[in-house]
Every structure is written in C-alpha cells, then in structure tokens.
C-alpha cells in the first residue's frame, strides 16, 4: 500500500527521531501533546491525535529491530481543509512486517472499523502478552484513517484525518 511522503511545504512539521525506549517515547508523547494542544482549537481532536501518537509510539518502540525510530507530525493545508498526519517509522523483522501488513490491510479495507475493533477484542481476550488492538483503536476510537508503506525492513504507518480549525501563525506567536 503506498503511503504519502511528508509534505515539506506543510504549514507545520515536527519530526522526532529517538532510540526505541519506553522512557524516550514518554518524553516524545509529552511533546506531541503540547504540539497538538498548541495548534488545534478542538480539545477532542487534539486528544484523538494524542491517542494515535501514543499507540504508534508504543508500537515502534516495542517492535523495532533498528537503532532508531521516528515520529512525525505534519499539518498540511488542502484546498478546503487541513489534514493532520502522524507518521511512525521503524525497522522490523520480516516475520513482524508480514504480520503487521496483514493486520494493516484488514484494518484499512474494513468497512466498519468499530465492528472490526470489537471482533479483535473478542479474538485476543484470552491471548496473553499480545493484544494487537492499538492500530484498530486508532481507526475505531480515534476516527483516523490509517495508511502504511513497507520498504525493505522499514515500516511507515500514517494516521491522518482532516482537522477543522487550527491556530494560525498569528495565534502561535508569542
């Protein structure tokens, strides 16, 4: 599945590359929360994107086989709306990439994300140690679309949705 590349002409862009550790992921998530709170006028939308960032950061740190991971946020202006995108990148093993691709394809093509999420909850309730629910939660609870790209051993997952209003340049100064 093709995933769009960062729009270098985005109105706002934030990229954080870090070692895959829970402690660093927590610090990155505080920055993401502040970033979303500063640019978005709607606290509900901000919390949905924070939740998505949390799930993505958890996945990239937990499953990375490489020395670094990254989380990017881009606010891209389209003709009639703005789109906020969160990109998570990491390296993963071939087995993990096959499994995540299967899950992401199911998630991307389901016509009912909430029903899919509920089914996953039921399927994984008795499985110890792995729930596999995070990305489904992003789509079902967060209402964000999910895309992905696999190149070699690198996985990129993009969660995105239109945002109605954002605090423009004049509101961010000072």
């Amino acid at each position: 599945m093709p995933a769009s590349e960062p729009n270098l002409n985005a109105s706002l862009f934030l990229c954080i590359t870090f070692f895959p550790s829970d402690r660093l992921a927590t610090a990155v998530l505080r920055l993401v929360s502040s970033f979303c709170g500063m640019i978005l006028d709607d606290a509900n939308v901000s919390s949905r994107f924070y939740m998505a960032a949390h799930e993505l950061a958890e996945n990239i740190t937990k499953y990375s086989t490489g020395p670094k991971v990254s989380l990017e946020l881009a606010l891209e202006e389209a003709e009639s709306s703005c789109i906020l995108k969160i990109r998570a990148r990491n390296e993963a093993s071939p087995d993990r990439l096959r499994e995540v691709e299967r899950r992401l394809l199911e998630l991307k093509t389901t016509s009912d994300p909430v029903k899919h999420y509920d089914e996953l909850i039921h399927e994984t309730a008795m499985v110890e140690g792995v729930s596999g629910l995070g990305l489904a939660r992003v789509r079902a609870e967060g209402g964000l679309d999910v895309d992905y790209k696999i190149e070699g051993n690198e996985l990129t997952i993009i969660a995105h949705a239109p945002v109605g209003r954002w605090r423009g340049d004049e509101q961010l100064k000072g």
Side-chain angles (χ1 to χ4, degrees):
M1 291 273 117
S4 60
E5 288 301 313
N7 178 352
L8 299 180
N9 296 319
S11 295
L12 294 170
F13 186 76
L14 173 68
C15 178
I16 308 153
T17 300
F18 56 101
F19 298 108
S21 81
D22 292 338
R23 288 186 62 186
L24 287 173
T26 299
V28 167
L29 287 170
R30 282 194 298 267
L31 179 59
V32 167
S33 178
S34 294
F35 181 83
C36 288
M38 278 184 61
I39 66 166
L40 298 172
D41 278 339
D42 186 327
N44 180 43
V45 172
S46 181
S47 69
R48 289 178 23 230
F49 276 95
Y50 174 79
M51 180 269 296
H54 175 79
E55 295 294 351
L56 290 170
E58 185 176 273
N59 281 357
I60 62 176
T61 57
K62 183 176 182 179
Y63 298 114
S64 179
T65 59
K68 62 182 180 176
V69 297
S70 69
L71 200 64
E72 304 169 6
L73 284 90
L75 181 68
E76 301 175 359
E77 293 187 75
E79 284 183 28
S80 60
S81 67
C82 292
I83 298 171
L84 186 57
K85 295 182 178 181
I86 300 175
R87 280 182 191 80
R89 297 178 201 256
N90 72 321
E91 294 177 6
S93 70
D95 289 343
R96 170 56 56 191
L97 289 172
R98 281 190 293 278
E99 176 63 19
V100 77
E101 183 170 31
R102 182 187 66 76
R103 288 178 181 265
L104 284 165
L105 188 56
E106 283 178 2
L107 182 61
K108 188 169 172 50
T109 58
T110 186
S111 60
D112 188 342
V114 174
K115 181 179 177 188
H116 179 70
Y117 183 48
D118 289 342
E119 289 168 353
L120 285 174
I121 291 170
H122 180 70
E123 288 172 17
T124 62
M126 301 308 279
V127 179
E128 192 171 322
V130 176
S131 73
L133 298 175
L135 296 174
R137 180 177 179 225
V138 168
R139 187 132 191 256
E141 290 181 14
L144 281 67
D145 290 323
V146 177
D147 292 312
Y148 69 96
K149 176 173 62 173
I150 298 173
E151 290 181 328
N153 65 341
E154 183 179 83
L155 170 66
T156 303
I157 300 174
I158 303 106
H160 57 93
V163 293
R165 296 175 295 152
W166 70 284
R167 295 182 173 112
D169 293 340
E170 66 283 347
Q171 293 174 328
L172 292 176
K173 293 178 183 170

